Amino acid sequence: MQIRRMGKEDIKQVCTIENKTFSHPWSDKSFLDAVNSEHDIYLVAEENDEILGYCGLWGIAGEGQITNVAVSEGHRNLGIARQMLEVLLHEARKDNLTDFTLEVRVSNAPAIHLYHKLGFVDAGIRKNFYEKPTEDAIIMWLRE
Ligand SMILES: CC(C)(COP(=O)(O)OP(=O)(O)OC[C@H]1O[C@@H](n2cnc3c(N)ncnc32)[C@H](O)[C@@H]1OP(=O)(O)O)[C@@H](O)C(=O)NCCC(=O)NCCS
């Protein structure tokens, strides 16, 4: 498996995972904008031309807002998300991003566990942040 920058040619497979995973999926245009932005970092995990997962962040004023993390259903619990996020944070630090934030559904135990293992700490709750189903978000930060 290799972890590398997402390219335009990956977006079709990325959207297949995105649409299966989220009730408010990003459009292919959103991924295209992200891939084309010089301030953003989007990565895929790929094996034999199959995209197994992806993640990415927007870089703004020294901070990285992690917007997407997903692994296809048949490949979860193998450490793929952890490896992708470690590479993402490494690449971001090279771009002088020092502090990172994300939101996660309060019920998303695997993701919360993973972010805590990477050093993220809970910083607050956004009430009813998510729709379909309505749910609070935990705001997390990883600071230098
Ligand atoms: C969250 C997600 C990205 C994790 O990807 P992954 O590749 O399976 O993650 P990893 O294998 O690197 O790590 C998963 C960790 O969660 C743990 N885990 C799995 N199920 C769990 C559960 N129900 N409760 C607590 N921890 C759990 C695993 O044991 C593992 O931790 P460990 O390394 O200490 O054993 C993946 O489950 C996914 O795509 N979910 C749907 C999309 C999503 O929720 N994205 C996050 C949005 S904020």
Side-chain angles (χ1 to χ4, degrees), residues 97 115 140:
L97 303 178
Y115 301 143
M140 293 191 185

Side-chain angles (χ1 to χ4, degrees), residues 21-22 69-71 75-82 103-104 108-111 113-115 117 130:
T21 306
F22 297 106
V69 184
V71 171
H75 295 89
R76 290 184 189 159
N77 252 317
L78 300 172
I80 294 175
R82 186 187 169 99
E103 286 104 11
V104 58
N108 194 346
H113 176 85
L114 173 66
Y115 301 143
K117 269 182 75 168
Y130 293 105

